[in-house]
Amino acid sequence: MIEILRGITELRAWRKALPHEASVGLVPTMGALHAGHISLVSLSRTQCDVTIASIFVNPLQFGPNEDLAKYPRPLENDLALLEAAGADAVFLPSVEELYPAGASTYVVEESVSLPLCGAFRPGHFRGVATIVLKLFNLVQPTRAFFGQKDAQQCAVIERMVRDLDVPVEIVRGAIIREADGLAMSSRNVYLSPEERRLAPLIRHSILAAVDAYAAGERNAATLVAKGRPLLEGDPAFTVQYWEVRDPQSLEALATIGERGALIAVAAYLGKTRLIDNQLL
Ligand code: AMP
């Protein structure tokens, strides 16, 4: 049976009771679990003796006009999925416990978190970095597993871990997709049937640039010109960014060299904000 840990005291007791030499894998999530989350649990199970997932819809990473209130919270189903995936424990803290009244300390990464989503979601990565460091302090995992789906989130967390000497190894899991190429996301449930039909255009626009890269194109602006107009050409989408950047620093790139590149895209489809990316 999966162990359900509802508070910090319970979590710390669970952690303390583990054998000293056991490696512990942490999979932080906001719930509404799908095969993308479960792939991270499976990855953790291959690399760690013990796997714990967390489910916490972190208010600190939502903007005032974002979907915090309507974010899906199918807890029973999430617990069944984690149990079936073989997670050993799940941490389900409350907002009040993680952010006691008067909490006034935050983690602010000031480089990798600025462009792309950082430019459109002010405060988002401050919320992410703060909650992730708190989870690291509470769980003290050997490894923590994050999805490449949120490539900038991975980059911010890797930078935080390096800069603050956090004793954890960050592991990235591959993007899990629907059969038609749409990256799985808890937010896909917001899409109307018509929007859901259109949504794979994000992936198709990226693949147009991937094809050009495979054919030898190394000029970033040319790759953007292959993909971005495909998405912008469909009036159902409002593109926030469609960019080719350095895969680690996320700085702008003119030419793609040995370090490769990240194609990163964010677009609204109706009222739903979708992101996707591809490493080159
Ligand atoms: P979230 O619940 O959206 O905060 O996501 C929790 C973790 O699952 C993050 O590390 C995400 O990057 C990861 N994740 C979300 N969607 C996918 C996906 N389609 N493929 C792989 N990982 C994902």
Side-chain angles (χ1 to χ4, degrees), residues 180-227:
D180 60 8
L182 175 64
M184 288 191 183
S185 166
S186 304
R187 292 187 163 102
N188 290 351
V189 299
Y190 299 152
L191 299 171
S192 70
E194 173 65 2
E195 289 167 345
R196 176 62 192 82
R197 196 179 60 76
L198 297 172
L201 187 60
I202 295 176
R203 176 66 176 156
H204 295 156
S205 74
I206 292 174
L207 289 177
V210 170
D211 286 347
Y213 180 79
E217 183 59 58
R218 292 295 180 269
N219 182 281
T222 306
L223 292 175
V224 171
K226 294 279 182 200

Side-chain angles (χ1 to χ4, degrees), residues 138-199:
L138 289 164
V139 175
Q140 300 180 28
T142 317
R143 297 185 187 87
F145 297 82
F146 294 89
Q148 175 65 22
K149 159 88 193 318
D150 298 275
Q152 189 173 16
Q153 171 168 282
C154 290
V156 170
I157 291 164
E158 285 162 359
R159 182 64 64 89
M160 172 187 81
V161 162
R162 187 197 75 177
D163 290 351
L164 300 182
D165 308 300
V166 185
V168 63
E169 183 189 327
I170 304 303
V171 182
R172 294 193 190 203
I175 303 178
I176 306 299
R177 300 180 178 283
E178 303 287 359
D180 60 8
L182 175 64
M184 288 191 183
S185 166
S186 304
R187 292 187 163 102
N188 290 351
V189 299
Y190 299 152
L191 299 171
S192 70
E194 173 65 2
E195 289 167 345
R196 176 62 192 82
R197 196 179 60 76
L198 297 172

Side-chain angles (χ1 to χ4, degrees), residues 2 4 33 38 55 74-86:
I2 188 167
I4 299 178
L33 302 181
I38 297 306
I55 298 178
L75 184 59
E76 289 309 313
N77 191 55
D78 286 350
L79 294 177
L81 288 174
L82 289 174
E83 169 102 48

Side-chain angles (χ1 to χ4, degrees), residues 10 15 141:
E10 259 183 279
R15 181 69 181 88

